[in-house]
């Protein structure tokens, strides 16, 4: 079993607008860690389900991260994240990562 990898969402640009294409070409495994770097005054990270991802709405009870340096361990299957600040998800501040 290989050690878990750590990926910074958006690379040097961090968690910001138009990061939806960031996972392309990367292979993620369950147990890998996504690092979300951002200004907590301007953004957050919300773990959502498929409906929340497609509608840009946080479902009731969704886990909200807001430290600005969040580390989130991937689970097997789809891992979906949005920024719930008004208009942000709609402007491409969302990311879908599938882990094997």
């Amino acid at each position: 079993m290989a050690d878990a990898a750590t990926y910074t969402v958006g690379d040097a640009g961090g968690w910001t607008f138009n990061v939806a294409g960031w996972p392309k070409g990367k292979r993620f495994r369950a147990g890998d860690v996504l690092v979300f770097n951002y200004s907590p005054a301007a953004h957050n990270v919300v773990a959502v389900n498929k409906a929340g991802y497609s509608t840009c709405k946080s479902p009731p009870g969704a886990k909200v991260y807001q430290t600005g340096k969040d580390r989130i361990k991937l689970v097997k299957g789809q891992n979906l994240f949005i920024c719930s600040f008004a208009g942000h998800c709609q402007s491409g501040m969302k990311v879908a990562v599938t882990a094997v």
Side-chain angles (χ1 to χ4, degrees):
M1 180 101 187
D3 288 334
T6 300
Y7 296 93
T8 301
V9 175
D11 299 317
W15 175 234
T16 188
F17 301 104
N18 301 311
V19 294
W22 172 81
K24 282 188 179 59
K26 297 176 180 69
R27 289 179 51 88
F28 300 96
R29 300 186 171 280
D32 287 352
V33 174
L34 294 186
V35 178
F36 290 82
N37 292 321
Y38 59 94
S39 166
H43 303 298
N44 65 11
V45 179
V46 184
V48 296
N49 55 21
K50 207 173 214 167
Y53 188 81
S54 59
T55 62
C56 285
K57 289 189 173 31
S58 301
K63 174 79 173 124
V64 179
Y65 300 87
Q66 45 202 4
T67 69
K69 295 194 179 313
D70 306 316
R71 299 174 61 85
I72 303 173
K73 189 181 285 197
L74 295 175
V75 296
K76 188 177 176 108
Q78 275 203 314
N79 296 260
L80 306 169
F81 305 99
I82 67 170
C83 175
S84 69
F85 280 51
H88 290 201
C89 175
Q90 293 86 341
S91 297
M93 198 162 176
K94 61 187 196 174
V95 69
V97 172
T98 302
V100 294

